[in-house]
C-alpha cells in the first residue's frame, strides 16, 4: 500500500499540469474578447501564471522536485502568481490607492 503513494503523486501532478494548461489556454482565448484594458491585463497574468504552474507540475511529475531547474521553475511560478495579485490589487483599488501594495509584492518576490 505504501508503494502506491508515489504513483498517486505522479498522476496527481500530471492531472494538475493538464488542468492548469487547459485553464491557461481558456483564459488566453478569453483575453481577445475583453474590451477593457484592466480585464485583459488580469486575464493575461492569469494565463501566464497558469502556464507556469503547468510547467512546474510537469517538473514535479517527472521526479525532479529538488534541483536547480525545479527551483527556477517554482520561483517563476510564484512570481507569476504575485503578478496576478498585483493586477488584481491594481484593478480593485485604482492606480493611486494601489501604490502601497507595490513594495509588499516586491518584497515577497525577492523572498
Amino acid at each position: 500500500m505504501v508503494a502506491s503513494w508515489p504513483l498517486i503523486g505522479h498522476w496527481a501532478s500530471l492531472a494538475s499540469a493538464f488542468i492548469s494548461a487547459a485553464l491557461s489556454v481558456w483564459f488566453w482565448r478569453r483575453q481577445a474578447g475583453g474590451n477593457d484594458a484592466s480585464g485583459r491585463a488580469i486575464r493575461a497574468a492569469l494565463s501566464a501564471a497558469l502556464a507556469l504552474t503547468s510547467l512546474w507540475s510537469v517538473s514535479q511529475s517527472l521526479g525532479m522536485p529538488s534541483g536547480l531547474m525545479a527551483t527556477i521553475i517554482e520561483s517563476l511560478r510564484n512570481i507569476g502568481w504575485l503578478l496576478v495579485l498585483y493586477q488584481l490589487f491594481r484593478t480593485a483599488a485604482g492606480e493611486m490607492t494601489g501604490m502601497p501594495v507595490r513594495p509588499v509584492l516586491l518584497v515577497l518576490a525577492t523572498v
Side-chain angles (χ1 to χ4, degrees), residues 26-48 83-84 86-92:
W26 185 69
F27 275 113
W28 186 258
R29 285 188 176 180
R30 281 191 45 130
Q31 184 175 346
N35 53 3
D36 60 336
S38 62
R40 284 194 304 265
I42 291 171
R43 286 190 296 275
L46 266 173
S47 180
L83 286 174
V84 170
Y86 174 73
Q87 289 296 334
L88 289 172
F89 276 118
R90 188 173 145 204
T91 302

Side-chain angles (χ1 to χ4, degrees), residues 1 5 11-12 15 22-24 30 34 39-42 45 55 57 61 66 72 77 93 101-102 105 108 111:
M1 185 72 169
W5 284 113
W11 286 107
L23 285 172
S24 176
R30 281 191 45 130
R40 284 194 304 265
I42 291 171
L55 184 64
S57 294
S61 71
S66 62
I72 290 171
R77 178 202 65 173
V101 171
R102 287 182 186 170
L105 291 177
L108 286 174
V111 173

Side-chain angles (χ1 to χ4, degrees), residues 3-29:
S4 65
W5 284 113
L7 186 62
I8 292 171
H10 172 74
W11 286 107
S13 293
L14 283 178
S16 170
F18 176 75
I19 292 168
S20 297
L23 285 172
S24 176
V25 169
W26 185 69
F27 275 113
W28 186 258
R29 285 188 176 180

